[in-house]
C-alpha cells in the first residue's frame, strides 16, 4: 500500500513503466512455474511473457484510451489496477494453454512424429494441439470459448 501511495502521488510515466515491468516479470515467472513440462532455455519464459504482455498491455491501453480516458492516459491510479486484472486473466489462460499444449504433445509425441515422417510440415502436425491451447487461452481471458472435448489428435489432421 505504501508503494502504491507513493507511486500515485508522483504521477511519473517512468515509475508507472517500472511497476508495469516488475508486474510482467513476476507474472511471467508464475506462468513458467505452473508448467509440468517446460521448454528448454528461455523459450518457456519467453513464450509466456510475450503472449501475456501483448494481450494484457493491448487491452489495458485500449481501455485507457477509449473508455476510461484518464488525464494523462498513463495515470498509475488507473493503469496499474487495470493492468493487474488483465495480467491475472492472461496469466491463467496462458499457463493453462501452455501446460495443455506441452502435456498433449509429450503424451501424443508418436502422432506428431508420424505426421512429420510422412512429410507434413511441423505446423500442420501440431495444429490440433495448438487449437486446444488457444481454447484454454481464450477461456482464461474470459471470452468463454469452451475447451474441446477430444483429448486425442484429429484423425483426419484437418
Amino acid at each position: 500500500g505504501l508503494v502504491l501511495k507513493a507511486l500515485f502521488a508522483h504521477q511519473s510515466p517512468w515509475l508507472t513503466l517500472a511497476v508495469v515491468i516488475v508486474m510482467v516479470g513476476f507474472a511471467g515467472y508464475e506462468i513458467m512455474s505452473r508448467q509440468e513440462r517446460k521448454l528448454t532455455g528461455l523459450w518457456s519464459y519467453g513464450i509466456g511473457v510475450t503472449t501475456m504482455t501483448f494481450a494484457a498491455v493491448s487491452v489495458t491501453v485500449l481501455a485507457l484510451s477509449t473508455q476510461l480516458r484518464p488525464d494523462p492516459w498513463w495515470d498509475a491510479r488507473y493503469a496499474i489496477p487495470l493492468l493487474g486484472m488483465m495480467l491475472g486473466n492472461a496469466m491463467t489462460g496462458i499457463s493453462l494453454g501452455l501446460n495443455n499444449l506441452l502435456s498433449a504433445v509429450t503424451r501424443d509425441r508418436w502422432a506428431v512424429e508420424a505426421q512429420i515422417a510422412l512429410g507434413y510440415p511441423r505446423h500442420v502436425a501440431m495444429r490440433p494441439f495448438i487449437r486446444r491451447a488457444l481454447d484454454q487461452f481464450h477461456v482464461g481471458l474470459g471470452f468463454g470459448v469452451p475447451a474441446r472435448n477430444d483429448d486425442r489428435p484429429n484423425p483426419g489432421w484437418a
Side-chain angles (χ1 to χ4, degrees):
L2 294 174
V3 172
L4 288 177
K5 186 175 179 182
L7 177 69
F8 295 163
H10 285 302
Q11 291 294 319
S12 169
W14 301 111
L15 285 176
T16 303
L17 180 64
V19 170
V20 165
I21 290 171
V22 168
M23 289 170 63
V24 166
F26 280 118
Y29 178 78
E30 185 64 27
I31 288 173
M32 187 178 70
S33 68
R34 291 182 180 184
Q35 304 304 311
E36 291 175 17
R37 298 212 171 253
K38 296 179 183 171
L39 297 171
T40 58
L42 289 176
W43 281 103
S44 183
Y45 189 78
I47 289 174
V49 168
T50 303
T51 54
M52 178 195 57
T53 302
F54 176 74
V57 170
S58 62
V59 171
T60 301
V61 169
L62 180 70
L64 288 173
S65 62
T66 61
Q67 297 299 317
L68 298 175
R69 296 185 191 152
D71 187 30
W73 70 269
W74 44 262
D75 188 359
R77 292 178 296 163
Y78 296 94
I80 298 301
L82 187 59
L83 180 69
M85 289 182 272
M86 295 301 116
L87 282 176
N89 287 337
M91 181 178 62
T92 301
I94 291 168
S95 65
L96 287 172
L98 272 177
N99 193 39
N100 186 18
L101 174 67
L102 296 175
S103 297
V105 168
T106 302
R107 183 183 62 235
D108 295 330
R109 187 172 113 190
W110 59 270
V112 175
E113 289 176 353
Q115 292 296 315
I116 293 172
L118 290 172
Y120 286 93
R122 287 183 187 159
H123 71 276
V124 173
M126 295 286 293
R127 189 175 292 158
F129 304 107
I130 293 172
R131 280 186 189 146
R132 282 196 300 268
L134 287 175
D135 285 347
Q136 292 293 324
F137 173 69
H138 286 112
V139 168
L141 285 180
F143 291 134
V145 177
R148 298 182 192 279
N149 292 330
D150 59 341
D151 285 338
R152 298 171 199 223
N154 183 355
W157 290 87

